[in-house]
Amino acid sequence: PLEPKLYQSYPNPFNPSTTVSYDVPREELVSLKVYDALGREVAVLVNELESAGKHSCVFNASHLPSGVYYCRLQAGSFVETKKLVLLK
């Protein structure tokens, strides 16, 4: 990949898990976190040095109530956020 990118999770809406994919153009410290609608951190999916390439991880929200959540990717100075909808 030429630039960092956060893809929309699939499936979305989801119950109870969804796959989050993202690109990293070079080895970089990557943070991928999920927040609730009030901005509280509810999950840390990735917080480590990642190699260049396409990556994905599964977010299991079985312990969370239905609602809107936000997945935030930070790779270096790049930041992108996508909306997730959990329907139980």
Side-chain angles (χ1 to χ4, degrees):
L2 299 175
E3 59 186 38
K5 179 166 178 63
L6 176 62
Y7 295 93
Q8 184 60 59
S9 64
Y10 182 80
N12 189 29
F14 68 99
N15 179 25
S17 63
T18 187
T19 301
V20 179
S21 299
Y22 57 95
D23 291 342
V24 181
R26 61 188 165 278
E27 186 175 72
E28 207 156 24
L29 181 61
V30 172
S31 169
L32 186 63
K33 298 180 179 181
V34 179
Y35 298 88
D36 66 12
L38 297 176
R40 297 177 296 209
E41 183 181 294
V42 296
V44 177
L45 305 179
V46 177
N47 192 23
E48 62 188 25
L49 192 63
E50 292 270 58
S51 60
K54 188 172 181 79
H55 302 271
S56 65
C57 61
V58 174
F59 171 47
N60 185 329
S62 59
H63 63 290
L64 296 171
S66 294
V68 175
Y69 294 88
Y70 297 91
C71 186
R72 180 178 185 264
L73 172 69
Q74 182 169 357
S77 61
F78 175 85
V79 176
E80 190 171 357
T81 304
K82 296 286 186 183
K83 184 165 77 168
L84 312 175
V85 179
L86 173 60
L87 291 177
K88 289 191 175 184

